[in-house]
Amino acid sequence: MRILILGGGWFLGRTLAVDAMARGWDVTAFTRGRSGQPPAGVEHVIGDRTKEPDLRRLSSDGTWDAVIDTSAYEPIDVARTARALADSVAQYVLVSTVSAYQDWPTITVDEASPLWPSAATYTEDSPELADMTIGERYGTLKAGCEVAAVAGAARSLIIRPGVILGPGEYVGRGLKLMQRAANGGRWLLPAPPEQPIQPVDVRDVSTFLLDAIQHQMDGAYNVVAPEDHSTYGELIDMSLELTGCRARPTWVDPQWLIEQGVRQWTEIPLWRVSEGTWKVDGRRAATAGLVCRPLAETLRDFKLALDRDGLIEHPRQAQLGMTREREADLLALWGSEQTSRTRQR
């Protein structure tokens, strides 16, 4: 098998490259060469997907069984890429997201749920997106990337992951949890700890995706862990165990956190109260072969990789987590209110 990865220097792209080479496949990575280098053994083609001459040069480099697009954001770029590679690749594989669903995270979604209305011509500056929230705009652009991939290729495969964790994760979700656990003291957390969550390991995403290419699968798949796979409390417990159990969880009413203006998903990573956040239907992918390893293994291996390789800097890390001062103020207020309620009884 010969595959082309658009990306390949970081996280999922790099994991795909390593796993594909372990299968004996030939791997080409197409990147701008500005940050993150593909692993040794990968043919590295430097270029910019927004530039037609670079795409024509890439297309002339050979033919591939599949192109895996891990870096798609604007639909117009996917349309341009698919058009340029139409005679060079047999299948277009797009890494999309559950954010492409119009109803996520409000309610449960499956592969038949409606996507955000979008088009292959959309860009971040399209007037149709002007009045949308950041989340709506992101979902609309990703849905447009899917439109472009399906329209521009004879055969396409769309995967829609939720949260991906594991070795090499650089957005900062795993990192901020580990750092907060290591800092010790009382740790402000949203109840209940029994809340199910569905993060999936990057290596399991890679295995599923490469198997799908090998078996010539097409269509769309939600790539998430089963709904009973793990809980938020297990996520916190494992973070504590891996960092010496120095912090003491304080589980508080999530509605109270909202009333205090705590930002969901960012100030407290992976916390969101919307009903459908962790109720994405992943049965189609499971039936097709997706196997999810235990969350404890994912977190342990993430920590090992972090200790071994060091921190991968990324701008989004600054958006995650809560300052110590704000957390201390909230904990004090929560304690004061709880004491007041006890006295009133």
Side-chain angles (χ1 to χ4, degrees):
M1 298 284 289
R2 297 190 75 236
I3 62 169
L4 167 65
I5 301 175
L6 305 181
W10 299 113
F11 199 34
L12 177 58
R14 188 177 184 86
T15 303
L16 286 164
V18 170
D19 290 353
M21 287 192 295
R23 297 177 181 225
W25 297 7
D26 292 329
V27 181
T28 301
F30 181 67
T31 79
R32 292 179 298 176
R34 297 179 183 176
S35 62
Q37 293 296 310
V42 170
E43 180 186 355
H44 187 194
V45 179
I46 296 177
D48 188 333
R49 66 182 300 165
T50 68
K51 298 179 179 178
E52 297 280 1
D54 288 2
L55 289 172
R56 286 195 297 270
R57 176 169 51 83
L58 173 65
S59 179
S60 66
D61 197 56
T63 58
W64 297 274
D65 296 289
V67 54
I68 307 174
D69 192 343
T70 68
S71 60
Y73 179 59
E74 291 190 313
I76 197 168
D77 290 339
V78 176
R80 183 188 298 110
T81 304
R83 185 169 57 248
L85 297 175
D87 296 328
S88 302
V89 299
Q91 182 181 36
Y92 202 107
V93 180
L94 179 74
V95 180
S96 184
T97 169
V98 295
S99 294
Y101 290 113
Q102 192 169 14
D103 293 327
W104 186 87
T106 307
I107 60 174
T108 298
V109 293
D110 60 23
E111 287 83 358
S113 298
L115 304 182
W116 283 99
S118 195
T121 54
Y122 279 7
T123 71
E124 197 169 22
D125 297 324
S126 293
E128 292 86 352
L129 282 62
D131 296 327
M132 292 182 173
T133 66
I134 292 174
E136 291 169 347
R137 188 160 55 247
Y138 176 69
T140 299
L141 288 171
K142 283 293 192 176
C145 289
E146 294 190 20
V147 171
V150 172
R155 186 158 52 90
S156 60
L157 171 68
I158 310 294
I159 69 163
R160 298 179 185 132
V163 171
I164 304 178
L165 298 177
E169 189 263 315
Y170 57 82
V171 172
R173 291 163 179 153
L175 172 69
K176 294 295 182 173
L177 288 168
M178 294 294 175
Q179 288 179 337
R180 178 59 193 89
N183 285 339
R186 294 175 63 203
W187 187 359
L188 183 72
L189 291 164
E194 298 81 18
Q195 170 64 52
I197 58 175
Q198 294 178 283
V200 62
D201 192 290
V202 65
R203 296 163 294 184
D204 298 333
V205 177
S206 176
T207 297
F208 176 78
L209 196 155
L210 295 179
D211 285 348
I213 291 172
Q214 188 166 1
H215 295 129
Q216 298 186 346
M217 291 164 48
D218 55 15
Y221 296 83
N222 294 334
V223 180
V224 296
E227 288 187 37
D228 61 353
H229 185 68
S230 53
T231 67
Y232 201 88
E234 290 168 353
L235 176 74
I236 299 305
D237 287 345
M238 193 62 191
S239 299
L240 289 167
E241 180 180 329
L242 290 168
T243 55
C245 296
R246 291 190 285 271
R248 304 187 307 279
T250 300
W251 298 94
V252 307
D253 181 356
Q255 187 58 43
W256 182 87
L257 291 171
I258 293 172
E259 291 170 0
Q260 309 314 310
V262 177
R263 297 191 306 277
Q264 300 177 54
W265 212 243
T266 53
E267 280 196 288
I268 300 181
L270 303 185
W271 165 60
R272 186 176 259 156
V273 297
S274 297
E275 180 74 16
T277 303
W278 299 115
K279 289 187 176 181
V280 177
D281 189 336
R283 289 176 294 178
R284 186 166 192 252
T287 300
L290 174 65
V291 177
C292 296
R293 70 193 69 204
L295 178 63
E297 181 180 340
T298 298
L299 295 177
R300 185 192 67 231
D301 291 349
F302 166 76
K303 181 66 163 51
L304 287 171
L306 183 64
D307 292 343
R308 181 188 66 238
D309 303 329
L311 175 64
I312 301 171
E313 299 287 350
H314 191 275
R316 288 180 63 183
Q317 293 170 11
Q319 303 170 11
L320 297 172
M322 185 181 297
T323 66
R324 291 190 180 188
E325 294 77 13
R326 175 160 166 74
E327 184 179 25
D329 289 345
L330 288 169
L331 284 165
L333 180 60
W334 171 257
S336 174
E337 291 186 8
Q338 294 302 106
T339 300
S340 177
R341 290 192 185 98
T342 301
R343 288 173 178 170
Q344 292 171 7
R345 289 174 186 164

